[in-house]
Amino acid sequence: MVEKFILLAQKYPLSLVQHILLILPVCIGLLRWKFLSQELKIITVFFLLYFSKETIALYFVLNRINSLGLENIFSCIQAIVLALMYDKVILSKSKRKSIYIGLAIVLIINIITFKKAEISNIGNTVVRVYMIYIALNFFVWLLEQLKIRNVILYGMFWVSVGVLLYAAGTLFMYLFSEYIFTPKASDELFDIYWGITQIVSIIFCLTTSLGVWVSKYDSENYL
Amino acid sequence: MSMDAGFVIAVGTAVLLMMAVFIIIFVAYYQQKQARQQLAFKELQAQHRRELMEATFRGQEEERRRLAEDMHDGIGTMLSITKMSLNQLEKQLGGEVQVGFQFQKTRSMIDETMTNVRRISRNLVPTTLERFGLLAALEELADRATDNDIEVELVYPEPELGFLPALELMLYRIAQELLNNAIRHARAKHITIHLIRFENEVRLSVIDDGVGFDFDAVMENRKAGLGLRNIESRLNVVNGHVTFDVAPGRGSRIHVQVHLHDAQPVDLLS
């Protein structure tokens, strides 16, 4: 199993880096726990779940167990956690209502289109569209409210930057996942798109880490 | 996998990512710009409020001065003339015992009224403050408040403070208000006024052993909280602040803090 792991790490070094980096926001979050608002505590827990999911998926891969069903389940968890997180920060009733209506639609579509042994392209695509929607919703709220003195030092801004880039960077790949994540796809193309997925995931990790890091300024950053 | 699908994924992802980056830059730039405008607007509002307060306090001081002058020059002079006239009338009427007693009584009433006029006039415009500075004025204030039941003590480590006259007047008025509250409302027996100057800061504390008060209840009452609100307003003008360490049933500790580089109060004495 160790040999297999080393072979995998040599073949997909970005995956290894991404897997290790997932723990970075968790570590920073634990260091900054007393400064963290509820929404940032939720995202810290989310990255702990993300890391756990990647570890289980790695275990499945090393033991030749299909892990694609786990990806589909985690996609739903992503949508639920992000909805809970934005519910804590966006105080507009109508926007919060739209977040929960959107979440209900996303979950229904995911349940209907759930696939155990392959990537559910519709379900995953809908989750990405939903992530883009709630990140944009947050940005609109941020501009409407004008409560933040310096957005660069605002934790949730960086988390939303990560959510938006991650969702925008993976949307088309999940939309056309039946062409990429199938045995028919050439290894070369799979590696390219898998690499891009890992890069946007790393960006998501880094921006979230930055958001959690700057959270100590949040209390003084209100107008 | 067809090349068309690969091309669509690549172009689609690139376009979406570019749009996302554009949105992020726009949000960051626009939000910063809006926040700066909001801050500038708030600063302008605060400045306007400070100017209004300055004008109010200046008007108040001018009115007090006018009133003090009127009392001293008008009523005081009239009372002196009345006393002289009474003395002359007594001489003209002769030395009847009954009438003499009545004259004596009237004279002492006029004397008492003259003393009261002088006291009110002195309270309205603290001439000691203008002539000898804050410490002398506070010492006089403490001496005047001290009697058989009440002891007022002034503590100051430095004999020279070197404040601007307007800041001295502001601190004097605050001390006057707090001392008055401690005597009249808290029924304190022992009051200590601390005045300390640090490098760039001045701290005035008034500590008493009175019955204390409920700060929230007093501030909610528009009439009762007027004096405390007045202190806060005076301090707003110089970006100073006041801390009320108070509770019903125990002595109060009220601390006033003013940063000297922020303190550029308008000259209220002019």
Side-chain angles (χ1 to χ4, degrees):
Chain A
M1 200 154 97
V2 176
E3 274 177 29
K4 254 188 195 174
F5 174 73
I6 294 166
L7 273 173
L8 264 179
Q10 281 172 341
K11 195 176 176 189
Y12 299 111
L14 264 179
S15 291
L16 182 70
V17 172
Q18 181 257 355
H19 193 162
I20 294 166
L21 275 179
L22 284 174
I23 208 73
L24 183 66
V26 180
C27 293
I28 296 173
L30 291 175
L31 277 173
R32 290 261 189 267
W33 192 257
K34 66 174 178 178
F35 298 112
L36 294 187
S37 50
Q38 275 189 311
E39 56 271 17
L40 290 175
K41 281 179 183 167
I42 291 172
I43 197 78
T44 306
V45 174
F46 167 76
F47 269 88
L48 188 65
L49 290 175
Y50 198 170
F51 178 78
S52 308
K53 183 266 293 181
E54 287 290 303
T55 310
I56 296 167
L58 180 68
Y59 175 80
F60 281 0
V61 170
L62 293 174
N63 288 287
R64 292 193 172 278
I65 304 167
N66 191 325
S67 66
L68 296 176
L70 185 69
E71 293 289 338
N72 295 334
I73 292 169
F74 189 72
S75 192
C76 294
I77 293 173
Q78 252 178 351
I80 294 168
V81 173
L82 291 178
L84 287 175
M85 184 180 76
Y86 282 104
D87 174 66
K88 298 284 176 211
V89 67
I90 296 176
L91 300 172
S92 152
K93 268 188 183 176
S94 59
K95 284 193 167 59
R96 285 164 76 178
K97 201 173 161 186
S98 73
I99 286 173
Y100 281 112
I101 291 170
L103 178 67
I105 294 167
V106 166
L107 291 179
I108 290 165
I109 292 172
N110 268 273
I111 290 165
I112 293 167
T113 61
F114 184 76
K115 289 171 186 168
K116 200 180 166 188
E118 56 185 290
I119 288 283
S120 164
N121 63 334
I122 297 172
N124 275 287
T125 305
V126 169
V127 169
R128 264 75 195 165
V129 171
Y130 179 64
M131 285 166 79
I132 292 173
Y133 168 71
I134 50 177
L136 293 180
N137 214 356
F138 170 74
F139 285 148
V140 170
W141 177 83
L142 197 66
L143 293 178
E144 276 174 0
Q145 292 300 306
L146 265 183
K147 281 186 174 170
I148 305 302
R149 192 184 290 265
N150 185 358
V151 82
I152 304 298
L153 295 177
Y154 182 47
M156 271 309 289
F157 171 75
W158 289 109
V159 173
S160 302
V161 165
V163 170
L164 186 61
L165 289 176
Y166 175 75
T170 54
L171 177 72
F172 271 84
M173 271 167 260
Y174 280 101
L175 187 62
F176 294 96
S177 60
E178 58 190 77
Y179 297 104
I180 300 170
F181 303 114
T182 55
K184 290 175 202 167
S186 74
D187 280 357
E188 199 184 320
L189 275 171
F190 173 81
D191 290 350
I192 291 169
Y193 290 116
W194 185 245
I196 293 170
T197 309
Q198 300 308 304
I199 288 169
V200 288
S201 182
I202 288 170
I203 292 170
F204 186 21
C205 269
L206 293 176
T207 55
T208 303
S209 303
L210 180 62
V212 175
W213 181 261
V214 298
S215 63
K216 67 173 175 177
Y217 304 109
D218 276 4
S219 58
E220 306 154 7
N221 204 10
Y222 289 99
L223 276 171
Chain B
M1 178 181 166
S2 71
M3 279 309 288
D4 285 349
F7 181 72
V8 169
I9 295 169
V11 172
T13 303
V15 169
L16 266 184
L17 277 173
M18 268 167 27
M19 280 169 68
V21 169
F22 173 77
I23 288 167
I24 291 160
I25 293 169
F26 171 78
V27 168
Y29 170 75
Y30 193 70
Q31 204 280 343
Q32 295 271 59
K33 195 178 158 188
Q34 296 269 80
R36 270 200 298 273
Q37 280 177 351
Q38 182 91 339
L39 272 174
F41 180 65
K42 279 194 171 176
E43 181 51 43
L44 210 67
Q45 273 185 324
Q47 180 67 27
H48 181 62
R49 257 201 312 273
R50 273 200 295 273
E51 280 170 9
L52 271 178
M53 292 311 301
E54 281 174 8
T56 307
F57 289 128
R58 195 192 296 124
Q60 210 174 55
E61 289 301 329
E62 277 168 10
E63 191 56 25
R64 278 179 171 164
R65 181 175 294 276
R66 193 189 62 76
L67 207 63
E69 278 169 9
D70 282 357
M71 282 182 87
H72 185 266
D73 301 345
I75 302 172
T77 312
M78 281 306 288
L79 283 169
S80 298
I81 293 166
T82 309
K83 196 179 162 186
M84 278 162 61
S85 171
L86 190 77
N87 289 343
Q88 285 210 324
L89 189 66
E90 190 186 11
K91 275 179 197 164
Q92 281 169 15
L93 282 176
E96 240 184 86
V97 178
Q98 188 67 24
V99 177
F101 177 71
Q102 203 62 34
F103 272 111
Q104 186 64 33
K105 202 175 161 189
T106 312
R107 219 174 4 249
S108 69
M109 278 163 68
I110 291 173
D111 282 341
E112 199 180 323
T113 312
M114 284 169 79
T115 311
N116 279 339
V117 167
R118 270 199 296 273
R119 183 178 55 77
I120 295 167
S121 173
R122 220 177 19 236
N123 280 346
L124 283 169
V125 178
T127 45
T128 313
L129 179 77
E130 290 177 26
R131 288 182 193 161
F132 307 107
L134 181 62
L135 287 173
L138 288 176
E139 259 175 2
E140 189 192 56
L141 191 70
D143 283 346
R144 280 215 309 265
T146 301
D147 59 20
N148 292 337
D149 296 328
I150 302 163
E151 189 194 351
V152 183
E153 191 188 349
L154 176 68
V155 179
Y156 53 95
E158 281 178 72
E160 279 298 317
L161 295 171
F163 299 146
L164 290 169
L167 181 65
E168 288 199 333
L169 178 62
M170 190 196 75
L171 291 169
Y172 178 80
R173 290 288 185 217
I174 292 172
Q176 201 178 23
E177 176 69 35
L178 293 174
L179 189 65
N180 196 32
N181 286 351
I183 295 168
R184 280 175 58 195
H185 304 299
R187 300 192 297 279
K189 300 284 174 220
H190 188 265
I191 304 156
T192 314
I193 304 171
H194 289 268
L195 186 69
I196 304 165
R197 182 191 176 146
F198 294 98
E199 217 165 276
N200 266 322
E201 191 180 287
V202 54
R203 282 188 203 164
L204 170 75
S205 303
V206 177
I207 298 161
D208 70 60
D209 62 351
V211 295
F213 61 96
D214 183 347
F215 179 73
D216 293 332
V218 168
M219 289 306 264
E220 271 172 27
N221 186 333
R222 282 180 72 88
K223 207 176 162 189
L226 194 67
L228 300 185
R229 267 195 292 275
N230 209 12
I231 291 174
E232 285 182 335
S233 303
R234 282 183 186 279
L235 288 166
N236 268 343
V237 176
V238 290
N239 288 330
H241 42 262
V242 55
T243 317
F244 295 96
D245 176 9
V246 293
R250 67 159 172 88
S252 306
R253 292 165 172 268
I254 299 166
H255 307 282
V256 168
Q257 200 177 345
V258 179
H259 286 281
L260 291 174
H261 57 271
D262 288 339
Q264 293 164 330
V266 68
D267 191 2
L268 302 175
L269 297 167
S270 60

